Amino acid sequence: MSFTELRQHDRDRWHALAGRAVEKPETRHFIDGDWVDSVDGGRFETVNPATGEVIAAVSAGTVKDIDRAVASAMAAFQSGAWSKMAPRRRMKVMYGFADLVAEHAEELAVLESLDMGKPIRDVINVDLPLVCETIRFMAECIDKVDGSVTNTASDVLHMVLREPLGVVGAITPWNFPMLMAAWKFAPALAAGNSVVLKPAEQSSLTSARLAELFVRAGGPAGVFNVVNGIGEVAGQALALHNDVAKISFTGSTAVGKLMLQYAGQSNMKHVGLECGGKSPHLFLSDLPDMSAAVKAAYGGVFDNMGEVCAAGSRLLVERPIYDEFIERFTAESQGVYVPGDPLDPGTKMGPLVTKADQQRVLGMIETGRSEGARLVFGGDAPEALEPGAYVNPTLFADVDNRMCIAQQEIFGPVASVIPFDSVDEALAIANDTIYGLAAGLWTRDIDKAFKLVRGLQSGVVWVNTFDNADFTQPFGGYKQSGNARDKCIDSYKSYTQTKSAWVKLSG
Ligand code: NAD
């Protein structure tokens, strides 16, 4: 069924599909081309955050399951069945894989929405199409990203070969479960590596299905394995494993720092980190289009329930337009992000991922109040949706950048408006954070725009737009937002290593 057809499903249809999906969801690991239970038989529950109901008990991986998966991945890598497959054959499998994901979009979408509360419209319109495109983009790199022959003296031939790393361990978050996984497994697989993926425990139901589809597309068994489990157990075992050549991590900054430690404690593996953010979104008084800017401002912080690493959660607004901006943000965002049933295609805001996250975000809102920020709207949970883990969209104004709500990643639908009086002041406030993932700015003045582009300490800067890009964009952070770049050709290259072959020629 095509994405266009899926967009025609109504709420009843999605609920009927959800009913079927929870009857007997696949909850095991996918190792060596097969569905397997944990060696120790352990399980943990996964809960639908929209209702509080338990969906299923998922196999809980331990060090034994990680060992098994890494051994399978290593054997597959060494066999050369994938790592040495002719490039265009490997491309064909990857394209077939993308097509199979699209064919199974209906069942994958419903599982993703049930498991983490993501609005079904987002899974169908954003996550899944982008998963397919990520696989295709990385497939295109397979015979396009070359090694090189360098300019040397005439009695030398120097070739720089590009080779896969071996076994790549991927550890992923729950906010875009399939997409963040694809940003890792697609370049890693395309470059000829084997993969062991450990998805977030809050959203385990879809990743292993993707690995199965890879095998159904012709990928050799053992090349793509998924072990479900708790971060401190299965994730740690993967990151500490001596046969893992690279750990590719997306998640919080605190856990990202642990990855560097695990690498140091084990085999000095490569570590690619995509971590947290507290993105500044700047609105200068000469901005070209107030309606577009306000829409980008509330979309940039309320989309995906604010559970977005790049969310524009700090809105820096120049004093002359400060009051108008807050009034228009308040008026124009009303009714757009109304918490509701994620399986209703009309819903743009589902619950947060867990009840604990709801309580944490409500706690941060309380902190904002007690710090003296002015609550403009929201600040509570919609009672009618209890026991779902919902939080109403929330706007604070008159925020000082030193407040906790301006410094800490809230990862919920909470925006803070901070006034500024000059470009230099805006830059100082924007950069006053441990994070540096993304930033946005709105101005008509090209000189101001470039001063800000150059001055902002962040891996991504959007000008007169926000959270907008294609696959050519290197996505990743400065400072404690991480060191990796996803999506682009550099991402593909980061799953390879160069080998210099220096050949002395006679005569
Ligand atoms: P998290 O750090 O709690 O968990 C991420 C993953 O790490 C999960 O799979 C978890 O099981 C695992 N993990 C946890 N503790 C571990 C340990 N001790 N050893 C090994 N693995 C461990 O993050 P989260 O709550 O799942 O995701 C939200 C975070 O992810 C936010 O900070 C967000 O900004 C970040 N994020 C960043 C990007 C990016 O591209 N920069 C994208 C999406 C999310």
Side-chain angles (χ1 to χ4, degrees):
M1 191 171 291
S2 70
F3 287 116
T4 312
E5 286 167 302
L6 289 181
R7 288 182 193 115
Q8 311 307 316
H9 285 15
D10 62 11
R11 182 179 176 279
D12 291 345
R13 180 81 183 270
W14 283 116
H15 271 277
L17 289 163
R20 253 176 276 154
V22 297
E23 273 170 20
K24 207 174 177 305
E26 184 51 77
T27 53
R28 292 172 291 175
H29 314 300
F30 191 77
I31 300 177
D32 208 24
D34 227 337
W35 293 103
V36 292
D37 280 315
S38 297
V39 175
D40 289 340
R43 288 190 167 257
F44 64 94
E45 287 182 342
T46 190
V47 171
N48 177 350
T51 62
E53 287 161 13
V54 173
I55 303 171
V58 177
S59 289
T62 66
V63 68
K64 293 177 194 162
D65 305 291
I66 291 291
D67 282 348
R68 189 173 169 186
V70 173
S72 157
M74 182 57 96
F77 183 75
Q78 287 173 343
S79 78
W82 180 251
S83 54
K84 296 193 176 134
M85 186 182 275
R88 293 203 73 83
R89 254 189 81 201
R90 200 171 339 129
M91 281 171 83
K92 206 168 160 207
V93 174
M94 294 293 283
Y95 285 130
F97 177 28
D99 291 346
L100 274 182
V101 173
E103 274 172 38
H104 287 78
E106 187 180 68
E107 106 198 44
L108 291 167
V110 85
L111 286 172
E112 194 89 317
S113 178
L114 283 170
D115 213 9
M116 64 80 55
K118 189 184 284 276
I120 197 78
R121 62 183 285 155
D122 289 354
V123 197
I124 294 299
N125 291 313
V126 182
D127 297 51
L128 269 168
L130 288 179
V131 168
C132 298
E133 282 313 300
T134 305
I135 298 169
R136 293 188 183 115
F137 179 90
M138 293 303 164
E140 287 160 22
C141 292
I142 293 174
D143 65 356
K144 312 287 183 299
V145 178
D146 295 325
S148 59
V149 175
T150 67
N151 293 330
T152 51
S154 58
D155 63 345
V156 164
L157 177 65
H158 180 215
M159 295 172 287
V160 182
L161 308 173
R162 194 170 280 286
E163 299 187 336
L165 299 167
V167 178
V168 170
I171 299 182
T172 49
W174 46 261
N175 61 338
F176 293 83
M178 286 188 282
L179 185 57
M180 293 302 99
W183 282 8
K184 301 188 175 316
F185 68 66
L189 292 171
N193 301 281
S194 294
V195 170
V196 177
L197 167 66
K198 205 296 287 173
E201 49 271 46
Q202 298 88 340
S203 57
S204 313
L205 296 179
T206 45
S207 294
R209 293 283 293 111
L210 295 178
E212 185 199 23
L213 294 176
F214 171 75
V215 170
R216 281 169 58 183
V223 170
F224 187 3
N225 309 275
V226 174
V227 178
N228 300 312
I230 306 299
E232 292 82 353
V233 182
Q236 189 186 67
L238 184 60
L240 279 170
H241 206 292
N242 280 319
D243 287 337
V244 170
K246 169 168 180 162
I247 200 81
S248 178
F249 171 82
T250 297
S252 61
T253 290
V255 178
K257 289 180 182 180
L258 290 178
M259 297 297 140
L260 295 165
Q261 291 184 22
Y262 298 150
Q265 286 161 15
S266 54
N267 59 343
M268 232 166 81
K269 53 179 65 68
H270 299 231
V271 180
L273 300 173
E274 290 284 9
C275 298
K278 194 73 195 175
S279 300
H281 197 172
L282 282 57
F283 301 89
L284 276 63
S285 49
D286 65 354
L287 56 78
D289 179 346
M290 185 59 119
S291 296
V294 164
K295 194 168 178 212
Y298 64 72
V301 67
F302 294 153
D303 262 353
N304 207 50
M305 295 68 78
E307 295 167 327
V308 179
C309 50
S313 53
R314 290 186 299 146
L315 305 170
L316 276 55
V317 184
E318 199 167 8
R319 197 84 62 178
I321 58 166
Y322 186 73
D323 291 336
E324 183 194 354
F325 181 90
I326 293 168
E327 269 165 36
R328 291 192 59 171
F329 186 110
T330 305
E332 291 169 31
S333 66
Q334 291 307 304
V336 181
Y337 289 89
V338 181
D341 176 5
L343 289 173
D344 183 336
T347 298
K348 284 185 75 151
M349 180 168 273
L352 298 191
V353 68
T354 62
K355 205 69 189 162
D357 267 75
Q358 178 205 43
Q359 293 308 308
R360 185 185 54 72
V361 170
L362 291 173
M364 283 302 293
I365 292 171
E366 219 25 68
T367 302
R369 279 196 175 112
S370 62
E371 286 179 309
R374 174 164 62 92
L375 183 68
V376 182
F377 63 77
D380 54 0
E383 276 175 28
L385 295 173
E386 280 289 329
Y390 292 87
V391 173
N392 281 316
T394 297
L395 183 68
F396 278 114
D398 308 343
V399 174
D400 185 304
N401 198 53
R402 286 163 297 190
M403 293 177 182
C404 294
I405 54 167
Q407 289 294 322
Q408 292 176 23
E409 188 179 35
I410 298 178
F411 229 55
V414 182
S416 294
V417 191
I418 304 172
F420 69 85
D421 289 302
S422 69
V423 169
D424 286 336
E425 189 193 2
L427 204 46
I429 295 171
N431 287 337
D432 180 18
T433 164
I434 62 164
Y435 298 110
L437 184 55
L441 66 98
W442 294 73
T443 178
R444 267 202 194 94
D445 184 325
I446 193 155
D447 293 318
K448 286 181 185 165
F450 269 93
K451 180 173 179 162
L452 287 165
V453 165
R454 290 200 193 278
L456 284 162
Q457 295 160 358
S458 64
V460 173
V461 182
W462 286 292
V463 180
N464 295 334
T465 184
F466 196 79
D467 204 3
N468 213 339
D470 64 18
F471 278 89
T472 61
Q473 178 192 51
F475 186 84
Y478 278 24
K479 303 198 283 190
Q480 293 186 40
S481 288
N483 57 15
R485 294 294 179 267
D486 281 331
K487 283 168 48 172
C488 57
I489 289 176
D490 281 350
S491 164
Y492 176 91
K493 288 182 181 167
S494 77
Y495 293 91
T496 66
Q497 55 196 338
T498 56
K499 178 183 280 171
S500 154
W502 186 273
V503 184
K504 176 81 178 72
L505 305 171
S506 57

